[in-house]
Structure formats: structure tokens, C-alpha cells
Amino acid sequence: MSEQYKQAGVDIEAGYEAVKQMKVHVQKTMRKEVLGGLGGFGAAFDLSELNMKHPILVSGTDGVGTKLALAIESDKHDTIGIDAVAMCVNDILTVGAEPLYFLDYIAVNKVIPEHVADIVKGVSEGCVQSNCALIGGETAEMGDMYKPGDYDIAGFAVGAVEKEEYVDFVNVKAGDKIIGLPSSGVHSNGFSLVRKVLADNRVDFNMDLAGKPLIERLLEPTKIYVKPVLELKKHVAIKSMSHITGGGFYENVPRALPEGLGAKIDLSTIKMPVVIDWLLETSKLSQEEAYNVFNMGIGYMIVVTEDEAEKAINILKENGEDAVLIGEVIEGEGLELYGN
């Protein structure tokens, strides 16, 4: 052990113990294509083991934003890792990619092994939900950069899709239907506004909201849509998909449509999570701003032909998703919201 290094703010032995404790969680995520084990200088994945002829690799990286501040303040760290995985795998899923592996980066003020293992437990759970191997990562002790108790987490995911099955929006046409998949709550966007609402109204984290403490509602992990969507892809020709993240409906729906087309969304079909209802009531946000910040109850959208819409909804429901027809593609760019 380097005592001088420890005095300078880096405890090597604590780092070793953190790796030891996280291994039990990491092991749950392994796939047959992973080569070697945790702890090497590089993580390896054997693409030749995939049942693909012309695989296209798709990658994505993200963090969880200032939702992390609420996790730190409430001392609840075992779900924030799910958010980190979800933000990455849901993004690469939009082109039809199957997530293959994930790497995380955790920076802390001080390595507390049990604390780090708790974070990685969440990452592992997110990887299990998306059938994605956690094959590597980094834990950095940076006492001069972070205040005691503070940390940050980011992730990086790689997936693959057959070239012939790559999903883009080139074949989207007016009249195609838009299917929405419900969100589990606020997910991982809009938390700078959430925290302002909490501060401005001096809200108690532990206040009851429909049978649960408010903080549990706010920290509900981002939903991972990988398994039901990949199952749907086997049976239906998906035309386009969108992950509803930062920018809400107004930014993310148009991203899934070609130039010259827009979307018409029937808000009466959407069931909003109780925590978002509470945020809107407390903040007095306008409808336009709300749909420009939050997912408003829909975390993922899928565009299919009118002929296949009912079939797609039934398949998604069979795979645990309460899918609903929420709108259609229209001529002219932009987003039209009605029915509220």
C-alpha cells in the first residue's frame, strides 16, 4: 500500500476491494461472446459468435444528468446505474441494434467499496434487463475534483444489427401509425427543472405520493425497452423508432421522421405517471414547455404501417408492454398535439 498516495487522496486498497465486491454483480451479465474476464487492460467481444452475416456496429454513450444529485442527496445509489445503461441501450435500439456490451465510468471523491458496489449493482441490473454484457469500466478516485459523497457515472454501449435490418426513417410515409410505450416515470431527463420545482416549493422528499415516498417516484429507473422491441422486430417491419429523452416530444419525435413529414399525437391516449402529474401541477408548466422537457408518460415510440399497427400492439402487449396507438405521421413538418 502507498501511504503517501493514500494521504494524497487515493486509496488503492479500497479500489481493489470495490472491484472484488462488484464482480458478483458483473458476472450476472456475461454472454458467451465475451473473452477473458473483468480486470484486464482491454475488454474483448467475439463478433464471429453472433448469428449475423453483415453486422453493423452501433454505439452510444450517455450519463444520467442531474438525477444523480437526487440520488446523492437521498443516499440511494442502487438504481442510478440502471438509468446509465437505459440511456445508452434505448438509444442504439432505435436503429434496431441488439445491445452487446456495456462499459461504465464512475468518478468518486473517495472509494467506499460498498458504495461503488451498490452503483455497479444497478449497472448490472440494467445490463441483465437488456441482455448486455458488462465487460469493463473504470472507477476513478478524484478527491480534488469531487466533494465528499459526490460522484458521477457515465456509460458506453455497443450493439449490432444486420445491415439488411437496419432501421432508419427513409420509408416512413404519411398515414403510418405511431405506437407509444409507457415510461416508468420521469426517466433521466428534465431533472434540473425537477430540482428547481422541489427547491422553490420546499418539498419534503419523503412526502407520500400515491402510496410511495416522492423520492422513490423521482428515482424510479428509466425503463429499458430492448427485449420487447427486439421481439417485435422479428414479426413486424418497423419503419422508425424514437427514444423520448431530453427535449421531450418536440425534439425527439421529429428526429425519427424524414424531411417533409410531421406527427399528429392524440394526448387522450396517453396515461401520465403520477409523478409527472404532480410535477406539472406543482410547477404550473405550460403544455408546450412540459412536452418540450418531459417524456409525459411515453418513453419510446415506434412507427409502423397502418396495416401492421394492431399486430404490433398485440405483440408488444404479449411481451409485457402496455403499448398504445398514440398518433400518426402526417404531411408537413412539426408536431401537432391534440385531445387533451
Side-chain angles (χ1 to χ4, degrees), residues 30-55:
M30 286 298 104
R31 296 174 50 130
K32 64 182 177 61
E33 301 92 346
V34 177
L35 303 179
L38 189 69
F41 289 103
F45 190 96
D46 186 358
L47 284 177
S48 69
E49 288 290 323
L50 293 177
N51 187 28
M52 292 186 182
K53 295 179 180 179
H54 303 107

Side-chain angles (χ1 to χ4, degrees), residues 63-119:
V64 298
T66 58
K67 184 175 187 176
L68 192 56
L70 291 185
I72 292 169
E73 192 171 345
S74 61
D75 196 27
K76 178 172 168 52
H77 313 287
D78 60 346
T79 60
I80 205 72
I82 300 176
D83 291 288
V85 176
M87 294 300 288
C88 297
V89 298
N90 285 342
D91 274 359
I92 66 174
L93 178 65
T94 60
V95 294
E98 173 192 355
L100 301 176
Y101 60 86
F102 186 85
L103 291 91
D104 60 12
Y105 172 81
I106 302 169
V108 300
N109 165 268
K110 179 179 176 59
V111 172
I112 301 172
E114 295 78 13
H115 188 175
V116 174
D118 225 16
I119 300 168

Side-chain angles (χ1 to χ4, degrees), residues 14-32:
Y16 295 157
E17 178 60 26
V19 171
K20 179 181 177 182
Q21 291 193 25
M22 70 175 71
K23 278 186 175 180
V24 63
H25 303 301
V26 174
Q27 194 58 41
K28 297 174 185 176
T29 74
M30 286 298 104
R31 296 174 50 130
K32 64 182 177 61

Side-chain angles (χ1 to χ4, degrees), residues 7 29 38 48 53 96 131 143 145 166 176 185 206 226 238 246 274 308 310 316:
Q7 291 170 15
T29 74
L38 189 69
S48 69
K53 295 179 180 179
N131 194 30
M145 298 290 289
Y166 185 86
D176 287 339
N206 294 311
V226 170
I238 297 173
V274 64
E308 290 202 292
E310 184 178 354
L316 288 163

